[in-house]
Amino acid sequence: MDITSTPAEHQDRGIRRASWIALALLVPVVVGAGLVTLSTTRASGCVTYGVECADVPDGSIPGSFLAALLLGILAVAWPRKLLPFASARGWLLGLHGAAQLMTAALILGFA
């Protein structure tokens, strides 16, 4: 901890570091969920023949991915002095995590 930093600044740096890690894991989680989904028999029938496809609404997977991406970028890049309240970065990190889990769940539920 730096001598000139306050505990709030130190905590904010920790949350920002966690936000970087969560943002970096977004693409591997999506790719991993896609590979697991495509390895099932039901998914191969859906892709090849168009039968037994799940009823995931159109646009929900890209929408949740974009929400996770934007929330992660906001959690990482928003300057501390411009945050509307002290725990805003923590809330953004939590919302990013929820959107990332939703994206993975929608991809896994596709097949």
Side-chain angles (χ1 to χ4, degrees):
M1 185 161 104
D2 199 8
I3 295 174
T4 60
S5 67
T6 65
E9 290 172 344
H10 184 68
Q11 182 181 12
D12 188 61
R13 270 185 293 198
I15 294 173
R16 183 175 277 180
R17 190 174 301 127
S19 299
W20 271 111
I21 293 168
L23 188 60
L25 289 175
L26 179 61
V27 172
V29 165
V30 168
V31 169
L35 289 175
V36 168
T37 300
L38 290 175
S39 67
T40 64
T41 307
R42 184 175 173 189
S44 64
C46 177
V47 171
T48 307
Y49 303 112
V51 295
E52 294 186 25
C53 294
D55 293 332
V56 175
D58 291 338
S60 60
I61 294 174
S64 63
F65 178 79
L66 284 176
L69 182 66
L70 291 175
L71 288 166
I73 290 171
L74 279 175
V76 167
W78 202 328
R80 190 178 70 79
K81 293 180 181 181
L82 297 178
L83 289 172
F85 51 94
S87 61
R89 193 176 315 277
W91 279 96
L92 287 169
L93 177 60
L95 290 171
H96 165 78
Q100 186 169 345
L101 286 175
M102 177 60 83
T103 303
L106 286 170
I107 291 170
L108 290 171
F110 188 71

